[in-house]
Amino acid sequence: LTLLFLVSDQNSDKLNGNEAQVFEEIEKVCLELAAVEVALRRCSNRSEFFSSPKCKIANQVVQKFLKEYKALTQSKRSLLSKARKLRKSIHTFEGISSALRQQVQYVDFALSVTATVPGIDDLEDDQLRQIFTEVLRLSDNCPTSMMSLSTVCKRWGKLVRSADVWKALHLNKLANSVADHELLVLLGNDKAFSKVSSISLASCVQVTEKSLLPILHCCGANLTYLDISGCWLLTKRTLEIIVECCPKLNHLNMSRCSGIMLEDALDILDGSKLVNSLHYLGIGFMGGVCRRISRASFESIAEKTENFTLKHPKISMGATQLFFRLCMRKLEDIPRNTDQSMCQAPFCSLGDGDDSQSVLQLLQCGHVICLGCENLARGNVRTVRASRGGDSSIRMSSDFDDTSSQNQCMCHLYPCPTCGHDMGPPSPCSKSFSIIV
């Protein structure tokens, strides 16, 4: 086999410096490849002998043989890779001479003789990285499959942690099991996520700033998509770090982040450079799910939201702007009361209108409440006796009234959670309105 690889270098004197160097390296690699191939074929013959039942050799000898075989295999893999790279480098020269053209045939012959049935170990690092990137994409950027691949061997484990593999990190499928410890272990200290451009932590309720902030510091410069909806434990400081570390962000979803108030979020964003790149902003359920606030506070938030949307028209906030405008238009017809309060429904989910907190109700007593809280409050129904007048109106009666029992009837009262007065019949009623977005 070695004799077959020996060729004449009669034309090597006509080559320049770089070409002569490549010429010599090709001959050297091919000769080494021939020697390794011969050694491997001898090892394969010995392996058949060792595997026979008649063989009685000490285990130390077998282990020594396996170690030698593994070293030869690794050497052959590196020599094949080097031979392929040298073949490519020949085509970079201008005007390939006959000597170099003969070397190309020489390399092709050496590769054809020594090449075996290609396996996954024969793939180069760049090819494996492309495969791992595709595996990550097909698994919806969930890292579970990649963590399994990293345990196959040390080489795969090193390649899986390459920054070129990770373009996105979506943990919404693992929302119930992901916490700070798991995120920090996944992040590591090797900058594997430095090129990530998309992160989704939707509904990861156990995630706090302890694990999110290191991730933002690692990949914030390249981040364009961030979904932290449902991360209840995040605070105002998280948004400040996002504004500082993520200048290219164009999609930010903070829905159901009860630790971040809407008015604080608008103030932080309005005074930052992030609004220049931002295209979508999710603010549903911010500051907590449905709590009662004063009408003045609601109107202040509505005005601040209106000013923000007018100042930054390219930022889409779903149906938030329409919702606030409809609410303010209806509230203009409601007289102001000193104790007037309302649900935090405008801060809630404003998307498809299917959930009960997307509907705002005006009760008969003059207070505003979302449909979800109204349903809960109507569970405290009271049954009382009332007397019916001639004008079909109902007035409350006591046990000591002398009114004839024929004029009395039983009615249901639904106490308002704010003032305790009757909310009126279940919506829709004559004195209520509904805004469904």
Side-chain angles (χ1 to χ4, degrees), residues 161 183-193:
R161 299 295 299 181
L183 267 182
L184 291 174
V185 170
L186 181 64
L187 179 63
N189 299 319
D190 52 2
K191 303 291 184 180
F193 300 100

Side-chain angles (χ1 to χ4, degrees), residues 43 46-47 50 61-69:
C43 284
R46 279 188 289 170
S47 65
F50 289 155
V61 178
V62 177
Q63 293 297 328
K64 182 180 179 181
F65 159 74
L66 293 176
K67 186 176 181 180
E68 179 186 357
Y69 187 83

Side-chain angles (χ1 to χ4, degrees), residues 255-258 283-290 347-349 355 357:
S255 301
R256 305 193 308 279
C257 287
S258 56
I283 58 173
F285 284 105
M286 291 189 66
V289 178
C290 202
F347 303 87
C348 298
S349 180
D355 82 34
Q357 288 167 331

Side-chain angles (χ1 to χ4, degrees), residues 78-90:
S78 62
L79 288 172
L80 285 172
S81 177
K82 188 174 181 180
R84 294 188 185 101
K85 290 180 180 178
L86 287 172
R87 190 186 185 282
K88 292 180 181 178
S89 65
I90 293 178

Side-chain angles (χ1 to χ4, degrees), residues 134-155:
E134 186 67 15
V135 170
L136 183 63
R137 186 187 67 83
L138 293 176
S139 59
D140 295 330
N141 298 308
C142 185
T144 51
S145 57
M146 302 301 294
M147 295 300 100
S148 300
L149 291 174
S150 65
T151 60
V152 172
C153 61
K154 291 183 179 179
R155 183 191 177 205

